[in-house]
Amino acid sequence: MCLSKTVGHSMDKSITLPPDEIFRNLENAKRFAIDIGGSLTKLAYYSTVQHKVAKVRSFDTTAKEAPNDKLYEISVQEEVTARLHFIKFENAYIETCLDFIKDHLVNTETKVIKATGGGAHKFKELIEKKLGLNVDKEDEMTCLIKGCNFVLKNIPHEAFVYARHADSEFRFQTANPDIFPYLLVNIGSGVSIVKVESEDQFERIGGSSIGGGTFWGLGALLTKTKRFDELLQLASKGQHTNVDMLVKDIYGGSYGCLGLTGDLIASSFGKSATADKEFSKEDMAKSLLHMISNDIGQLACLYAKLHNLSRVYFGGFFIRGHPVTMHTITYSINFFTKGEVQALFLRHEGYLGAIGAFLKGAEEDNPNQYSWGENYAGSSGLMSVSPDMNPMQRARSGTFDMLEMDRLERQLVNLPLLQDPSSYIPDTVDLTEDALARDYWLYCFEDALDGVVKRAVASQPDIPEAVVRAEKFRQKYRHKLLTLRHQPL
Amino acid sequence: MCLSKTVGHSMDKSITLPPDEIFRNLENAKRFAIDIGGSLTKLAYYSTVQHKVAKVRSFDTTAKEAPNDKLYEISVQEEVTARLHFIKFENAYIETCLDFIKDHLVNTETKVIKATGGGAHKFKELIEKKLGLNVDKEDEMTCLIKGCNFVLKNIPHEAFVYARHADSEFRFQTANPDIFPYLLVNIGSGVSIVKVESEDQFERIGGSSIGGGTFWGLGALLTKTKRFDELLQLASKGQHTNVDMLVKDIYGGSYGCLGLTGDLIASSFGKSATADKEFSKEDMAKSLLHMISNDIGQLACLYAKLHNLSRVYFGGFFIRGHPVTMHTITYSINFFTKGEVQALFLRHEGYLGAIGAFLKGAEEDNPNQYSWGENYAGSSGLMSVSPDMNPMQRARSGTFDMLEMDRLERQLVNLPLLQDPSSYIPDTVDLTEDALARDYWLYCFEDALDGVVKRAVASQPDIPEAVVRAEKFRQKYRHKLLTLRHQPL
């Protein structure tokens, strides 16, 4: 981890922020890809960054060669590494963003931009006119799967299980080199259910028209609320039992001999069929969310069983890290499979198509030969679009969301001595899962900060701006620790 | 077929009609069962009827015994046979009906009424108070399956395939003694999916909260139309493409490489998410109907595949013979199974629970030892609640619907010489399937009517009221033929 990078910028993002906050390293951008969905655009570019890297040389103290009895020697070297940038913004900003890119692009050799998603067709001319690049369309599903395979293999802690009331809400999965076969349930406007068997082999085995667009569309008609996130916020406050007909509403209790508990929903919106009263927006939104999540959950389970798959990943804009959707889908999967199948979510599900499109364009570079790691400092957190955040934060983070990935110069491989790499779990402490340990370590880091700053200033007595720089570092580091307290992800 | 029975009463039914039109043979009722659903009550009773049966005695002309050179001799005998009556009415009329039954019940020995359905609990006290019978509750699912097995085995042409635009809209299935295993998808307020393996062995393998209650409930919220049949009527006039997001709305055409045609629904209600306009009630109702039917169709297919079942029967109040629901479910099944599974509907799906409850109470009588045949004259037709009928007809037939079944004194069995009874198809002409033949034969019957009436009058020269009776017969018979022209089922 490179500290100077970690604290190098704040998390603020908005259309008026200075350019280097959003489209970072754009001047060195080498290659572009874009994924335009029904409402969101995801732009990817590949760029290079200069690092200062500290090289440590150790001396063997038993030998006589050690100068001045030093144990080690530190030298600072400049290194150029590759970085992938992903930016997500609403389609409404696409023209502004394209203009911005055109103005700041200094030195690019590429003539082509890979494009995917339903909107690639619609915005083709605009992109070609603004950027002067040829739009090269790639199949949406191929990009999606390519991107999914990539993040599952390359990003540590990409997949997680969601458990709302557990001690650790998010249980991250250890990266597993054997990712195949798996089922991907992509919940966009509609639902696509894809069986993925290998890097290049996948099949859309099912789908449903009851998806995110249905929640949005029916929700808008029922509640007159036009914004997706607001609908989810309504849902998180509602009581579905006021609208749904439960098993106990029919039988006066559970339907024992069939194993149906009284609280089970017998009929979604069943109570609004005959009751002559007004239903609250919150209750209707919640009922709708349950209806759709349960349905998708059941379909996913049935396809998983039919094709003998035990890993089911959920992605698409319906999810977007919203606790309330993840909870209902997880609940539904547990209910229908009696725990045999686990619902897994992806931290970067929104970028799968863009990553895939980018990889299609970069195939000659063999990106799979390298290891990639997320640059957490340049990326937005998982919860950046959570409806539970205050409206100000949401408005900003909803506008721009970022992911950065650094290429590691040597590919990380499993220790060759490991008998079964997929079942090996290193004995590390995960601070996202252990709230007590997290508190303790964050306190330690904060406590040690003054000492670190003092030592940093002392180590560079000849450099006049050292004190100012150290103070800057202190502020940004403290801010980061504060952020980690509230958003440990 | 007993002609005097066939034309013995009109099809009119309403709460103000004379008693013998609705609760026929109530005075001889021996045993009762009742199935109370969320909105409809189905009452069953077992009674006896007196027939005049013509016995024909043939004479061997080669023998010398034939008196007066007659070839045969007809004698009329009185015969008492068993009949099952089923009556369906809205729960709103339950009190009136119970009062009526109490007043007209002359001679019943039973002390018990078998009751099933979600409402059995709710109306228990009322029934006990009004009828003075003990309510004996039976499990709903057990009754449903028992009734389903019974109609599939006993009622000719019970199951049919629906094909809206085909020459014969209804393709009736030849009764098959090997009915097991099959899948029953019962669409009431919610959906139950039941695998039936034998007379006593069944399992609820799945279900869904998106059922008839969802269509009704969401439909009522969206269109402010409170009546189920009116919602279906709205749906039959709507264009779902105005509300749903189709594949071509996203991709500008079909999504070829996935085999998705442009007209496929990508997202139900997807257009109402962002469009800032009013949607018509008809279009929303149609979209809702498609959404629910497709979903049920897909679930049914998946469960059928998982359990290796090729026969799927659909029942429950969501169906009720409505062409528009049967069409969308059939379409959905064909789409999802590529024709491997056929959607089968039942003519008497509404009575399955009542029939089952009745059979539970009649187990000592061994009803399966006998053959039962539908008394078409005393039963409402398949289309009696079709939304395409004129409102006057609908209002009446929606109130009371009837099914009568006569017990045949000898059990009908398959010809023992048949090697495989289930694959034997007798070479008969089915007038419901052949419109030309139907027209021809109905014309023949009408044409011959005057001759029949003349001969009838001539055969009873000593009976003064013969002319009047024959004239009455002529009118009723002609009316029946007319009905058959418009409702061949």
Side-chain angles (χ1 to χ4, degrees):
Chain A
M1 190 166 71
C2 169
L3 266 194
S4 70
K5 273 288 152 201
T6 309
V7 297
H9 77 297
S10 89
M11 295 287 285
D12 289 336
K13 311 166 226 63
S14 107
I15 199 85
T16 55
L17 280 184
D20 57 313
E21 296 293 334
I22 302 161
F23 293 100
R24 307 205 315 156
N25 293 310
L26 193 61
E27 61 280 7
N28 299 317
K30 302 272 184 295
R31 187 174 281 126
F32 288 90
I34 196 162
D35 173 14
I36 312 178
S39 55
L40 293 171
T41 295
K42 281 76 68 177
L43 181 82
Y45 58 93
Y46 164 90
S47 180
T48 50
V49 276
Q50 276 203 331
H51 291 277
K52 282 204 177 86
V53 179
K55 294 245 163 165
V56 180
R57 189 177 159 215
S58 309
F59 299 106
D60 186 347
T61 47
T62 58
K64 291 282 163 223
E65 47 174 304
N68 310 326
D69 289 335
K70 265 191 188 169
L71 290 178
Y72 57 89
E73 192 183 69
I74 300 177
S75 61
V76 173
Q77 289 185 341
E78 290 278 335
E79 210 178 74
V80 174
T81 56
R83 176 170 291 171
L84 285 173
H85 298 259
F86 299 94
I87 297 133
K88 183 160 68 181
F89 47 86
E90 286 177 36
N91 289 358
Y93 298 116
I94 195 165
E95 204 158 343
T96 318
C97 290
L98 291 174
D99 281 335
F100 182 90
I101 293 166
K102 184 67 191 164
D103 292 346
H104 289 80
L105 209 55
V106 177
N107 187 17
T108 186
E109 295 143 26
T110 188
K111 298 248 178 319
V112 170
I113 179 167
K114 289 281 179 189
T116 190
H121 183 80
K122 196 171 156 192
F123 291 102
K124 185 174 184 290
E125 265 184 55
L126 183 74
I127 298 167
E128 295 194 330
K129 201 185 76 186
K130 294 274 180 192
L131 295 190
L133 299 175
N134 288 321
V135 169
D136 192 4
K137 279 202 281 178
E138 288 289 341
D139 174 62
E140 190 177 357
M141 200 57 71
T142 308
C143 292
L144 183 76
I145 302 302
K146 218 177 173 57
C148 190
N149 291 339
F150 185 80
V151 296
L152 284 176
K153 283 185 174 174
N154 289 287
I155 303 199
H157 288 185
E158 176 59 29
F160 62 91
V161 168
Y162 184 77
R164 189 166 56 174
H165 297 300
D167 272 353
S168 56
E169 209 176 352
F170 301 85
R171 256 179 267 137
F172 292 100
Q173 306 294 294
T174 318
N176 185 338
D178 302 330
I179 63 169
F180 305 110
Y182 67 85
L183 195 70
L184 177 65
V185 180
N186 195 56
I187 317 174
S189 296
V191 180
S192 278
I193 299 174
V194 189
K195 174 184 173 183
V196 186
E197 291 185 280
S198 73
E199 200 63 61
D200 305 302
Q201 224 185 335
F202 67 87
E203 189 191 352
R204 185 186 189 276
I205 54 174
S208 165
S209 73
I210 304 182
T214 311
F215 177 72
W216 199 351
L218 267 176
L221 291 173
L222 292 173
T223 69
K224 313 287 170 214
T225 304
K226 282 279 174 192
R227 292 188 61 87
F228 185 81
D229 284 349
E230 277 169 38
L231 278 171
L232 276 175
Q233 244 182 319
L234 284 179
S236 65
K237 291 182 214 144
Q239 284 295 330
H240 75 99
T241 52
N242 293 335
V243 183
D244 291 341
M245 188 185 284
L246 308 186
V247 167
K248 68 181 169 199
D249 293 324
I250 303 178
Y251 298 100
S254 68
Y255 191 168
C257 74
L258 292 184
L260 304 176
T261 63
D263 284 331
L264 200 72
I265 304 173
S267 175
S268 292
F269 288 88
K271 280 185 185 153
S272 61
T274 45
D276 224 359
K277 61 165 201 168
E278 286 287 305
F279 293 91
S280 87
K281 290 180 180 188
E282 288 81 1
D283 294 348
M284 289 189 291
K286 181 64 165 279
S287 175
L288 196 58
L289 182 72
H290 271 291
M291 178 183 105
I292 294 170
S293 303
N294 282 335
D295 190 55
I296 295 171
Q298 173 156 223
L299 288 173
C301 290
L302 287 170
Y303 279 108
K305 275 191 203 167
L306 256 179
H307 293 267
N308 219 4
L309 302 167
S310 59
R311 267 171 298 195
V312 182
Y313 296 100
F314 289 85
F317 90 75
F318 185 59
I319 310 280
R320 266 158 77 185
H322 283 297
V324 62
T325 46
M326 293 193 294
H327 174 70
T328 46
I329 286 177
T330 301
Y331 181 88
S332 160
I333 294 278
N334 284 340
F335 176 81
F336 287 112
T337 69
K338 301 180 181 83
E340 279 170 38
V341 173
Q342 258 193 340
L344 292 158
F345 301 95
L346 300 172
R347 282 172 51 232
H348 300 106
E349 47 79 8
Y351 290 108
L352 303 184
I355 293 174
F358 180 83
L359 293 173
K360 284 294 279 186
E363 267 163 359
E364 61 263 45
D365 289 348
N366 270 325
N368 278 318
Q369 273 190 355
Y370 297 93
S371 287
W372 296 80
E374 179 173 4
N375 174 15
Y376 293 101
S379 305
S380 313
L382 174 64
M383 305 297 283
S384 60
V385 288
S386 160
D388 298 333
M389 285 172 68
N390 74 56
M392 187 59 199
Q393 272 179 293
R394 269 182 53 243
R396 286 174 138 189
S397 64
T399 310
F400 287 94
D401 186 89
M402 297 184 295
L403 163 65
E404 291 187 1
M405 288 169 67
D406 284 337
R407 190 172 77 187
L408 310 178
E409 288 314 299
R410 281 171 302 280
Q411 189 177 12
L412 294 181
V413 293
N414 290 299
L415 183 65
L417 294 176
L418 278 178
Q419 267 196 324
D420 178 10
S422 63
S423 67
Y424 170 69
I425 299 163
D427 182 19
T428 55
V429 177
D430 186 342
L431 295 186
T432 60
E433 287 193 16
D434 189 336
L436 267 179
R438 184 168 64 234
D439 271 358
Y440 172 76
W441 282 105
L442 287 176
Y443 171 78
C444 289
F445 292 147
E446 230 173 300
D447 198 44
L449 183 55
D450 283 346
V452 172
V453 169
K454 268 186 206 156
R455 222 167 306 157
V457 174
S459 74
Q460 302 184 319
D462 308 332
I463 302 170
E465 65 270 26
V467 177
V468 179
R469 277 175 51 219
E471 189 51 38
K472 233 177 176 174
F473 159 74
R474 183 215 303 273
Q475 279 169 23
K476 294 201 167 173
Y477 188 73
R478 180 165 289 149
H479 180 257
K480 192 78 193 172
L481 291 175
L482 214 71
T483 307
L484 282 172
R485 265 199 204 284
H486 297 111
Q487 286 190 31
L489 303 162
Chain B
M1 190 166 72
C2 169
L3 265 194
S4 68
K5 274 287 153 202
T6 309
V7 297
H9 77 297
S10 89
M11 296 285 285
D12 289 337
K13 312 166 227 63
S14 105
I15 200 83
T16 55
L17 279 185
D20 57 312
E21 295 294 334
I22 301 161
F23 293 99
R24 307 206 314 156
N25 293 308
L26 193 60
E27 60 280 7
N28 298 317
K30 302 272 183 298
R31 186 173 280 126
F32 288 90
I34 197 161
D35 172 14
I36 312 178
S39 55
L40 293 172
T41 296
K42 284 75 69 175
L43 181 82
Y45 58 93
Y46 164 90
S47 179
T48 49
V49 276
Q50 277 204 330
H51 290 278
K52 282 205 176 85
V53 180
K55 294 243 164 167
V56 180
R57 185 175 161 218
S58 307
F59 300 105
D60 187 346
T61 47
T62 57
K64 290 284 161 218
E65 47 175 302
N68 310 328
D69 289 335
K70 265 190 185 169
L71 290 178
Y72 58 88
E73 191 183 68
I74 300 178
S75 60
V76 175
Q77 291 185 339
E78 290 280 333
E79 208 178 77
V80 175
T81 57
R83 178 170 290 170
L84 286 174
H85 298 260
F86 298 94
I87 298 134
K88 183 161 66 181
F89 48 86
E90 288 177 35
N91 289 358
Y93 299 114
I94 196 165
E95 205 159 342
T96 318
C97 289
L98 291 175
D99 281 335
F100 182 90
I101 292 167
K102 184 68 191 163
D103 292 345
H104 289 80
L105 209 54
V106 177
N107 189 15
T108 185
E109 296 142 26
T110 188
K111 299 245 176 320
V112 171
I113 178 165
K114 288 281 179 189
T116 190
H121 182 80
K122 196 171 157 191
F123 291 101
K124 185 173 183 289
E125 265 184 54
L126 184 74
I127 298 168
E128 296 193 331
K129 200 185 76 185
K130 294 274 181 193
L131 295 191
L133 299 175
N134 289 321
V135 170
D136 191 3
K137 280 203 281 179
E138 288 288 341
D139 174 64
E140 188 175 0
M141 200 58 71
T142 308
C143 291
L144 183 78
I145 301 303
K146 217 174 174 58
C148 189
N149 291 337
F150 185 80
V151 297
L152 284 176
K153 283 186 173 172
N154 289 286
I155 303 199
H157 288 185
E158 175 60 30
F160 62 90
V161 169
Y162 184 77
R164 187 166 59 175
H165 298 300
D167 274 354
S168 56
E169 211 177 349
F170 301 84
R171 256 178 268 138
F172 292 100
Q173 305 295 294
T174 318
N176 186 337
D178 302 330
I179 62 169
F180 305 110
Y182 67 84
L183 195 70
L184 177 66
V185 180
N186 194 56
I187 318 175
S189 295
V191 180
S192 279
I193 299 175
V194 188
K195 174 184 175 184
V196 186
E197 291 186 280
S198 74
E199 199 64 61
D200 304 303
Q201 224 185 336
F202 67 86
E203 189 192 351
R204 186 184 189 276
I205 55 174
S208 165
S209 72
I210 306 181
T214 312
F215 177 73
W216 199 351
L218 268 176
L221 291 173
L222 292 173
T223 69
K224 314 286 169 214
T225 305
K226 283 276 174 194
R227 291 188 61 89
F228 186 81
D229 285 349
E230 278 170 38
L231 278 171
L232 276 174
Q233 242 181 322
L234 284 178
S236 66
K237 292 182 213 145
Q239 283 295 330
H240 75 99
T241 53
N242 293 336
V243 183
D244 291 342
M245 188 185 283
L246 307 186
V247 167
K248 67 181 170 197
D249 293 324
I250 303 178
Y251 298 99
S254 68
Y255 190 167
C257 74
L258 292 185
L260 304 176
T261 63
D263 284 331
L264 199 72
I265 304 172
S267 175
S268 291
F269 289 88
K271 279 185 184 153
S272 61
T274 46
D276 224 359
K277 62 166 200 168
E278 287 285 305
F279 294 90
S280 86
K281 291 179 180 190
E282 288 81 2
D283 294 348
M284 290 189 291
K286 182 65 166 276
S287 175
L288 195 59
L289 182 71
H290 271 291
M291 178 183 103
I292 295 170
S293 303
N294 282 334
D295 190 55
I296 295 171
Q298 173 156 221
L299 287 174
C301 289
L302 288 169
Y303 279 107
K305 274 191 203 167
L306 256 179
H307 293 266
N308 219 5
L309 301 166
S310 58
R311 268 172 296 193
V312 181
Y313 297 101
F314 289 86
F317 90 75
F318 186 59
I319 310 281
R320 264 157 81 185
H322 284 295
V324 62
T325 46
M326 293 192 294
H327 175 69
T328 46
I329 286 177
T330 301
Y331 181 88
S332 161
I333 293 281
N334 284 339
F335 175 82
F336 286 111
T337 69
K338 301 181 180 84
E340 278 170 39
V341 172
Q342 259 193 339
L344 291 159
F345 301 95
L346 301 173
R347 282 171 50 232
H348 300 106
E349 46 80 7
Y351 291 107
L352 304 184
I355 294 175
F358 180 82
L359 293 173
K360 285 293 280 185
E363 267 163 0
E364 60 263 46
D365 290 349
N366 270 324
N368 278 317
Q369 274 190 355
Y370 297 93
S371 287
W372 296 81
E374 180 173 2
N375 174 15
Y376 293 101
S379 306
S380 312
L382 175 65
M383 305 296 283
S384 60
V385 289
S386 160
D388 298 334
M389 284 171 68
N390 74 56
M392 187 58 200
Q393 272 180 292
R394 270 182 51 244
R396 287 173 138 191
S397 63
T399 309
F400 288 92
D401 186 89
M402 297 184 294
L403 163 65
E404 291 186 2
M405 288 170 66
D406 284 336
R407 190 171 77 187
L408 310 178
E409 288 314 299
R410 281 170 302 279
Q411 189 178 13
L412 293 182
V413 292
N414 291 299
L415 184 66
L417 293 177
L418 277 178
Q419 267 197 323
D420 177 10
S422 63
S423 67
Y424 170 70
I425 299 163
D427 182 19
T428 54
V429 177
D430 185 343
L431 294 186
T432 60
E433 286 193 16
D434 189 336
L436 268 180
R438 184 168 63 234
D439 272 358
Y440 172 77
W441 282 106
L442 286 176
Y443 172 79
C444 289
F445 293 145
E446 230 172 301
D447 199 45
L449 182 56
D450 283 345
V452 172
V453 169
K454 267 186 207 156
R455 222 165 306 157
V457 174
S459 72
Q460 303 185 315
D462 308 330
I463 301 170
E465 64 270 25
V467 178
V468 179
R469 277 176 51 220
E471 189 51 37
K472 234 177 175 174
F473 161 74
R474 184 219 300 276
Q475 280 171 20
K476 293 200 167 173
Y477 189 72
R478 180 166 290 148
H479 181 256
K480 191 80 193 170
L481 291 176
L482 214 70
T483 306
L484 282 172
R485 264 199 204 285
H486 296 111
Q487 287 190 30
L489 304 162

